[in-house]
Amino acid sequence: MAVKDRDRFSTATRLKLLGEQTAARVYRSQTKRQARRSRLTGRAALLALVLCSLIVALAYPIRQYVSQRAAIADLERQQQQARARVEQLRDLKARWQDDAYAKQQIRERLHYVMPGETGYVVIDPDVAKQSRTDLGVATRPWYANVWDGVDKSDHSDR
């Protein structure tokens, strides 16, 4: 043990111990500084800047692309509706080529009757009354109608 005690108090051992303690302190201070230092490096900042500019640069073209795709879809829908309408009109034209269909439509719409038949027209009484009141207003002079309008508005205020 005497050799160990003597080594413990020797200058070389003390210097070695001092060096190790100093190295440990320096290592601890560096790790504290690194922990406090921001993780955002220059490369990361440049990468973030490039990504942001790409996003900004591509935002408008992507919006245009999406809106144009929507317009194309709308036009395709309109084209489909137009094709369906053309098919309906072709069917109607083919029906009108048939003489029996044409006669049926003429009899129904124009109230035609075949020779020897008696045609009847049924008039709805409510519609007849309404048309008579419209005729009464139409046969009067214009200034009488204006004066009636003034009287009606005067009575509505009371």
Side-chain angles (χ1 to χ4, degrees):
M1 275 225 198
V3 174
K4 231 181 184 181
D5 286 338
R6 194 174 37 145
D7 282 343
R8 194 171 110 190
F9 293 114
S10 72
T11 307
T13 307
R14 277 197 255 158
L15 284 176
K16 187 176 177 186
L17 185 63
L18 255 170
E20 288 174 358
Q21 289 173 352
T22 307
R25 275 192 235 129
V26 168
Y27 179 73
R28 277 188 298 214
S29 68
Q30 284 180 350
T31 56
K32 286 181 183 176
R33 260 190 272 146
Q34 286 177 352
R36 277 186 256 135
R37 199 168 77 182
S38 172
R39 298 206 184 271
L40 184 66
T41 62
R43 286 184 184 172
L46 182 64
L47 179 65
L49 181 66
V50 168
L51 285 176
C52 288
S53 17
L54 280 175
I55 289 171
V56 168
L58 293 177
Y60 183 73
I62 289 174
R63 191 184 81 189
Q64 288 296 323
Y65 174 77
V66 169
S67 67
Q68 287 174 358
R69 292 304 302 172
I72 288 171
D74 187 41
L75 290 173
E76 286 174 348
R77 182 185 51 76
Q78 288 177 2
Q79 185 180 22
Q80 185 71 20
Q81 288 175 349
R83 284 184 181 147
R85 179 69 179 145
V86 166
E87 281 300 314
Q88 289 174 351
L89 291 175
R90 282 186 184 149
D91 291 345
L92 185 62
K93 180 182 175 184
R95 276 191 254 142
W96 275 100
Q97 298 298 323
D98 184 21
D99 289 338
Y101 181 78
K103 283 181 184 177
Q104 175 200 2
Q105 291 298 316
I106 289 170
R107 291 174 65 128
E108 186 178 308
R109 294 181 183 189
L110 302 177
H111 304 290
Y112 279 19
V113 291
M114 296 299 285
E117 292 180 353
T118 306
Y120 295 99
V121 177
V122 178
I123 299 174
D124 186 16
D126 295 332
V127 174
K129 286 180 185 176
Q130 184 181 12
S131 66
R132 279 190 220 124
T133 57
D134 291 343
L135 280 175
V137 171
T139 57
R140 296 172 48 189
W142 64 270
Y143 51 85
N145 292 335
V146 170
W147 194 251
D148 285 343
V150 170
D151 285 340
K152 284 181 186 176
S153 66
D154 189 35
H155 292 294
S156 66
D157 289 342
R158 292 180 195 164

